[in-house]
Amino acid sequence: KKVENFRTDWSKVESIYKDISLDDWRKCYNDWEGLLREDPQYKEVKVVERHPNGEVKVFYLKVGLGMFMTDRTVLVETNNTFHEDGTWTTVMQSTQHPDYPENDEAIRVSTFTVTDSSATADGKGSIMTEYSNSDGMGWVPPSLMNMTMGTTTK
């Protein structure tokens, strides 16, 4: 079910990881299932398609919000562009796939994210600057959103 006229805004988040290198992040892009499966809020995590180089192309997530909230699903296509200076840009956007159609059991989330990735000055860490626009398809109480988002960060 789609909620009409629900507006979201763009957000920008810059994260600096002192001990996670760009090479570490490249490994993550090949193993979304392993990375996300440990998070208890995800009811289902599935790599649907891979690019010829092995990186994830399309992945599916089913998120349980709990507390009488309808589960959310997202089906995302990812594309990385690697630049000559060693940085890269990742574009993730909602997509459709015949094996994962929308259904009445969960609400399909819409998302578009661009992430610029670069190394820290010492080369041991990384800087991720993310620009995103997501539509959770309905109102979520702030306390529940804080609790849900809090489980994704350690």
Side-chain angles (χ1 to χ4, degrees), residues 56-86:
V56 174
K57 179 178 180 182
V58 177
F59 69 94
Y60 170 84
L61 299 172
K62 184 174 186 178
V63 182
L65 296 179
M67 298 179 65
F68 312 110
M69 297 292 295
T70 304
D71 291 345
R72 301 301 199 259
T73 61
V74 64
L75 189 63
V76 177
E77 182 173 350
T78 68
N79 288 292
N80 290 318
T81 302
F82 298 96
H83 308 290
E84 290 182 17
D85 63 358

Side-chain angles (χ1 to χ4, degrees), residues 83-119:
H83 308 290
E84 290 182 17
D85 63 358
T87 64
W88 80 79
T89 301
T90 302
V91 176
M92 295 195 297
Q93 61 187 356
S94 295
T95 190
Q96 299 294 323
H97 194 280
D99 294 345
Y100 291 87
E102 294 185 43
N103 60 55
D104 291 337
E105 296 175 11
I107 297 171
R108 182 65 52 96
V109 172
S110 175
T111 187
F112 183 84
T113 303
V114 176
T115 305
D116 288 321
S117 306
S118 61

